Amino acid sequence: VFHVKHPTPPALLFLDKALELARERHLLRERAPRTIPLSRCFSSNDYLGLSLQPVPSAQPGAGASRLVSGDLPIHAELETACSDLVQQPHALCFTSGYAANIGVLGALAGPGDLIISDALNHASIVDGARLSRAQVDVVPHLDLRAVRGALRRPRSGRAFVVTESYFSMDADGPDLRAYRQVCDDSEAALIVDEAHALGVLGPEGRGRCFEAGILPDVLVGTFGKAFGAGGAFVAGCPALIAWLWNRARSFVFSTALSPVLAVAALAGVARARSEGWRRDRVLAHASQLRGGLVSLGIRPLGFGPIIPWLVGSPAEAVRVALDLTQRGFDVRPIRPPSVPAGTARIRLTVSAAHESSDVEALLRAIADAHGAG
Ligand SMILES: Cc1ncc(COP(=O)(O)O)c(C=O)c1O
C-alpha cells in the first residue's frame, strides 16, 4: 500500500531492484516492533538491565558543539567518572560509539600511516580507518603473529593497532598484554574498543584492559550497552584528549552529547560499578545458557554474556530466529555484511534483567525448535 501511494521516483528505481535482490538472498533487514517483554528478549546489549532504570531529569539538548557553546558541568562530571572507571588520566564524551571510532581514527591517522585492524572489528572502526586515508592492513581475527608481521614491514609513517577487547559477534577477545607488548616493541599505538566489555567484564566492570593490567594508548567505551544509556567516551592522556577536542570531526562538528543522556550514562557507570550483583547475575545466566546449549548439541562461541551460535547460511539463521520469535522470544539472526559470508548466526545475549527461569524457558524453546527443525 505504501509503495502504491508513494511510488519510487525514477532516479531511485535502482533501490527497488537492490532491495528485491537482498530479499531473495535472505539479507534484507526489515523493521520489527518491540513487542516482546524484556524477560523474553535475548537480543539486546543491555547486559546489566540498566536501560529501564529511571534517572534524574536534565536539560534535553546541549545546544551546540562544545567548541561553540562551551562545556556543561555534566560532561566534565561524566568524563571524570569514565577516566576513573578505566584508570586513564582523561576522557572525552562523544554522541555515540560510532562517532567516537570515526572521530578517533580520523584524527590520529592520516595518509602515509598504517592502521592494523582485526578482521572482525566493528563497522565504526572500519569506517574510521577508511576516513583517515591511512593504509589499512586487515589482519585475521585475533592473529597476533599477523599483527607483529605487519608491524615489522618497513613503513614511513606512524602505526596504530586497533582491536575490540570483547568482540560483539564472536564473543572472544585478544590477549591484551601480548598486544601491548607487540605495540611497544614497534612504537605502535594501541587502540582498544571496550564497547561490549565495560560494565560486565573485569573487576567492577572496568573492562578487559584493566583486567589484563595494561593501559592502551586510546580506550573507547560506549554508554549504550551495559551502562543502559547512549553515547560514548574516549579515554587516554591529556594530549590525546586535547587533540581530539581540536581534530576529531565527529566531536568538533557535532552537537555535544545530550545532557539527558550524560545524566543517564553517569548513573549507569556508577550503578555498574557499585551493583556487583548485576554482573554476577548476567554471568551466571551466561553460564546457564551456554551449558544448556551444549547439552542440546549446540556449540556456542566464545565466553561471557554474548552467546553466538553459528548456523551457516542467512536463510537458516532467519528460519531459526523466526521459529523462536513465533515461540515468543526476541532472538535475531546476524547475517553478512555484519559477519563474514558463511558465518550467519544466532546471537543470543543475556541480561541481569532476566530470571534464571527465563533462560530455562529459552532453552526449552530451542530444544523444541531443534526437534522441529
Ligand atoms: C565494538 C563496537 N564499537 C562501537 C559501537 C558503536 O556504538 P554506538 O552504538 O554507541 O554507536 C558498537 C555497537 O554498536 C560496537 O559493537
Side-chain angles (χ1 to χ4, degrees):
V1 178
F2 195 78
H3 270 78
V4 176
K5 262 188 159 171
H6 305 280
T8 310
L12 295 184
L13 276 175
F14 71 95
L15 294 180
D16 284 353
K17 284 196 189 125
L19 288 167
E20 197 40 48
L21 195 64
R23 185 191 308 280
E24 279 166 17
R25 293 177 178 168
H26 304 279
L27 292 176
L28 190 66
R29 272 76 167 166
E30 292 187 271
R31 295 180 186 207
R34 276 200 196 187
T35 49
I36 295 177
L38 207 63
S39 61
R40 292 290 182 269
C41 172
F42 289 88
S43 63
S44 136
N45 300 322
D46 181 12
Y47 306 117
L48 298 180
L50 289 173
S51 74
L52 297 178
Q53 293 294 324
V55 289
S57 69
Q59 94 186 48
S65 162
R66 287 162 72 182
L67 279 78
V68 172
S69 274
D71 262 345
L72 289 166
I74 185 64
H75 292 136
E77 216 183 317
L78 177 58
E79 285 161 359
T80 303
C82 292
S83 55
D84 190 61
L85 176 77
V86 296
Q87 295 290 286
Q88 290 270 4
H90 279 290
L92 189 67
C93 295
F94 283 71
T95 50
S96 70
Y98 187 92
N101 278 331
I102 61 169
V104 162
L105 290 166
L108 292 181
D113 293 336
L114 173 67
I115 294 175
I116 299 169
S117 179
D118 188 284
L120 296 191
N121 274 340
H122 188 257
S124 54
I125 299 174
V126 173
D127 293 357
R130 284 182 187 149
L131 273 174
S132 75
R133 289 178 291 151
Q135 181 194 329
V136 183
D137 205 337
V138 176
V139 286
H141 184 48
L142 303 181
D143 190 339
L144 189 63
R145 281 179 59 173
V147 173
R148 200 181 285 120
L151 284 171
R152 283 206 182 119
R153 283 193 284 279
R155 62 172 189 265
S156 52
R158 301 180 189 90
F160 301 88
V161 174
V162 54
T163 181
E164 295 179 31
S165 66
Y166 179 48
F167 279 83
S168 61
M169 294 300 161
D170 279 41
D172 54 8
D175 174 347
L176 288 159
R177 288 179 76 87
Y179 271 63
R180 181 68 273 180
Q181 190 61 53
V182 164
C183 287
D184 289 345
D185 292 346
S186 301
E187 287 179 29
L190 177 61
I191 303 176
V192 181
D193 180 341
E194 293 246 50
H196 289 271
L198 289 181
V200 185
L201 301 178
E204 287 182 50
R206 289 166 182 262
R208 293 198 75 233
C209 289
F210 182 90
E211 189 174 43
I214 64 131
L215 279 182
D217 301 296
V218 183
L219 188 150
V220 178
T222 58
F223 302 130
K225 304 180 196 303
F227 299 129
F233 70 94
V234 180
C237 65
L240 170 74
I241 302 306
W243 187 250
L244 295 177
W245 184 281
N246 283 274
R247 293 296 172 90
R249 294 171 67 82
S250 57
F251 177 83
V252 175
F253 299 106
S254 187
T255 302
L257 179 68
S258 148
V260 169
L261 280 177
V263 166
L266 185 63
V269 171
R271 291 187 100 130
R273 277 186 74 173
S274 64
E275 297 178 2
W277 61 268
R278 292 182 184 273
R279 231 172 338 276
D280 296 345
R281 211 171 138 93
V282 68
L283 294 176
H285 291 340
S287 303
Q288 183 189 353
L289 185 47
R290 285 175 176 279
L293 288 173
V294 169
S295 43
L296 293 175
I298 295 168
R299 279 191 163 276
L301 302 179
F303 60 89
I306 300 171
I307 301 156
W309 139 38
L310 289 191
V311 297
S313 75
E316 181 61 4
V318 171
R319 189 194 67 74
V320 174
L322 189 65
D323 187 336
L324 291 170
T325 307
Q326 283 162 352
R327 293 171 197 268
F329 294 88
D330 186 334
V331 167
R332 306 288 167 107
I334 306 285
R335 295 161 280 170
S338 307
V339 290
T343 70
R345 63 200 66 188
I346 301 297
R347 174 183 181 267
L348 302 171
T349 53
V350 281
S351 165
H354 289 133
E355 299 291 334
S356 169
S357 55
D358 299 326
V359 177
E360 213 38 64
L362 174 67
L363 281 166
R364 267 198 309 276
I366 294 173
D368 292 348
H370 225 44

